[in-house]
Amino acid sequence: MNYYKTTKPFLSTLLLCALSLNTSFSQSPKSLKSVYQEDFLIGTALGVEHILEKNEKANLLIKREFNAITPENIMKSQLIHPSEKSYNFEIADKYVDYGYKNKMYVVGHTLVWHSQLPAFVGKIKSPDSLRIFMTEHINTVAGRYAGKMNSWDVVNEALNEDGTLRKSVFLNLLGEGYIKEAFDLAAKADPKAALYYNDYNIEQPAKRKGAIEIIKKLQASGSKIDGVGIQGHWSINSLNLKDIEESIIAFSQLGIKVAFTELDLTVLPNPWDLRGADVNQRFAEKPELNPYKDALPDSVQTTLANRYADLFKLFLKHRDKISRVTFWGVDDRHSWLNGFPIRNRTNYPLLFDRELEPKKAYQAVINLKISK
């Protein structure tokens, strides 16, 4: 596997850290990355607090359990390119250094996305000006980290639910050719990195068809595309394994790898049949929509564990097609789902709880491998 190479002796440091944390978890001989090392990478999304290593227990957990990392927010254009002529690389540099020193697979997320854009982009009205922004942004960001990123999420969430192209500022001003332009720019700026198209709900038939069309057009035009990222923001109450399996097969038949890039499973009610990760969707707070404010009932813990086990059984069945499974957050406290699509809810979508301890879901995922 294509991890960062480093000669620094970090293993002894990690061992000392492990011994300093007197918890039963730290003494366990198994970890996610170790039991799945022959199958696919196991990743997590890092926030600023993780990149800066502010919490010793979280830092040890990340290094112990994961061999791939994605930046949660700090490489999105709003933060890394805040004004037309200025960039803020401070935390992004530290993120790359974190991956390097810990021999991890490092993902750049994301180069072109219609959301979380710098304020000045909203004032752009001409195709030429937007093309200059996109070109300079990709050249500068991907160029800075050329040879240091294992992969880039080049274009993020370009599709509507029906599989048509989203009417973003990029489509409106540049036409559908902006996707090819973005991939070609990324390939030139960082030729060694794998290039991915990333989106939510593309396991669903209509949107999957749109993603396949994007990939086929890129391939037909000679553009480099190495993989597709299915985000995996799903619910324990409506997990459609059939759609997910059909998508793994359909995308892999295009000759590319499939990654699950932002995996989490909400346990909370969803009365609107909301699916996916459109960050603009918001709903009013109601007590009945926040039923587990203080703790998650054991019965729901079990359901969450069963759903994760079902998913990973499917992933293992298609291990030859899958490059990476990345959880969108380190632990439940860190999850974006605590505030989406309703603020101030308490969610429990990941494998580690708010105290950074493994949940039933963690053990269910581990047991799929160690019980054999």
Side-chain angles (χ1 to χ4, degrees):
M1 291 181 178
N2 185 21
Y3 299 161
Y4 257 113
K5 294 181 178 179
T6 178
T7 57
K8 296 181 179 180
F10 287 97
L11 292 178
S12 59
T13 302
L14 288 179
L15 179 58
L16 289 173
C17 289
L19 292 173
S20 70
L21 290 176
N22 186 23
T23 67
S24 59
F25 174 49
S26 66
Q27 306 305 317
S28 171
K30 300 296 183 181
S31 68
L32 292 168
K33 71 178 183 182
S34 67
V35 299
Y36 285 92
Q37 63 182 334
E38 300 300 325
D39 306 305
F40 35 72
L41 294 165
I42 300 288
T44 189
L46 299 187
V48 173
E49 69 271 28
H50 305 119
I51 296 166
L52 298 182
E53 303 182 51
K54 291 185 174 182
N55 182 311
E56 184 181 13
K57 187 173 182 180
N59 191 39
L60 176 60
L61 185 152
I62 292 163
K63 294 174 182 179
R64 173 190 167 77
E65 297 293 329
F66 305 107
N67 49 23
I69 53 173
T70 301
E72 189 176 30
N73 281 302
I74 52 94
M75 295 194 77
K76 292 171 182 174
S77 60
Q78 184 182 59
L79 296 179
I80 205 168
H81 191 174
S83 63
E84 189 172 0
K85 298 299 182 183
S86 70
Y87 292 82
N88 182 359
F89 292 117
E90 180 183 2
I91 305 300
D93 286 352
K94 287 181 169 59
Y95 162 75
V96 173
D97 289 343
Y98 186 98
Y100 184 90
K101 72 181 182 180
N102 292 302
K103 301 180 182 179
M104 291 170 162
Y105 182 101
V106 183
V107 179
H109 178 80
T110 174
L111 291 173
V112 176
W113 188 30
H114 68 277
S115 189
Q116 291 183 245
L117 286 167
F120 72 89
V121 176
K123 301 175 183 178
I124 293 176
K125 304 300 179 184
S126 75
D128 287 345
S129 296
L130 186 62
R131 181 169 284 109
I132 289 170
F133 159 73
M134 187 174 77
T135 301
E136 291 185 348
H137 180 81
I138 294 175
N139 286 345
T140 302
V141 176
R144 182 181 184 86
Y145 302 111
K148 298 179 179 180
M149 288 293 179
N150 293 99
S151 68
W152 288 97
D153 292 335
V154 179
V155 175
N156 197 50
E157 300 175 6
L159 291 167
N160 295 312
E161 297 308 296
D162 63 359
T164 60
L165 289 174
R166 182 192 294 270
K167 294 189 182 301
S168 67
V169 62
F170 297 103
L171 182 68
N172 292 341
L173 290 181
L174 300 178
E176 66 176 88
Y178 86 87
I179 298 175
K180 173 178 170 55
E181 289 183 56
F183 273 86
D184 289 347
L185 286 165
K188 186 175 180 180
D190 192 358
K192 293 184 179 180
L195 306 184
Y196 278 69
Y197 173 73
N198 189 59
D199 212 331
Y200 59 86
N201 289 352
I202 53 173
E203 78 283 353
Q204 297 173 22
K207 201 167 186 179
R208 180 202 310 154
K209 182 179 178 182
I212 288 172
E213 289 178 2
I214 286 175
I215 295 161
K216 283 184 174 180
K217 285 180 180 179
L218 287 170
Q219 291 174 327
S221 70
S223 295
K224 177 183 177 181
I225 179 167
D226 300 286
V228 61
I230 301 173
Q231 289 185 12
H233 297 296
W234 296 318
S235 169
I236 63 170
N237 300 311
S238 57
L239 190 61
N240 192 324
L241 296 175
K242 179 176 180 291
D243 283 349
I244 296 169
E245 181 169 31
E246 288 177 353
S247 294
I248 295 171
I249 294 169
F251 287 128
S252 68
Q253 287 175 342
L254 301 175
I256 61 174
K257 282 292 186 180
V258 178
F260 290 89
T261 54
E262 304 183 19
L263 181 60
D264 48 30
L265 299 181
T266 182
V267 302
L268 297 182
N270 179 17
W272 324 276
D273 193 30
L274 175 68
R275 293 179 289 181
D278 187 339
V279 295
N280 295 311
Q281 298 176 102
R282 291 290 175 186
F283 299 89
E285 295 180 42
K286 294 180 181 180
E288 63 268 28
L289 299 179
N290 190 22
Y292 314 127
K293 183 177 179 181
D294 299 319
L296 191 65
D298 191 63
S299 61
V300 185
Q301 290 274 20
T302 299
T303 300
L304 178 68
N306 290 339
R307 295 293 83 76
Y308 267 117
D310 292 340
L311 262 180
F312 272 77
K313 286 176 187 175
L314 180 61
F315 296 162
L316 285 170
K317 179 180 178 182
H318 296 285
R319 60 171 66 86
D320 59 318
K321 307 172 185 68
I322 296 173
S323 58
R324 172 170 49 95
V325 177
T326 290
F327 294 89
W328 201 241
V330 175
D331 63 273
D332 288 340
R333 179 192 59 81
H334 172 222
S335 173
W336 73 298
L337 288 173
N338 291 304
F340 176 85
I342 298 175
R343 299 189 190 281
N344 302 315
R345 290 210 295 180
T346 305
N347 214 324
Y348 305 81
L350 298 168
L351 302 189
F352 298 94
D353 67 19
R354 283 166 168 75
E355 302 304 317
L356 296 163
E357 292 296 325
K359 295 156 61 177
K360 281 186 177 181
Y362 172 88
Q363 201 58 53
V365 171
I366 289 282
N367 285 347
L368 290 176
K369 293 290 295 184
I370 65 176
S371 62
K372 291 183 178 181

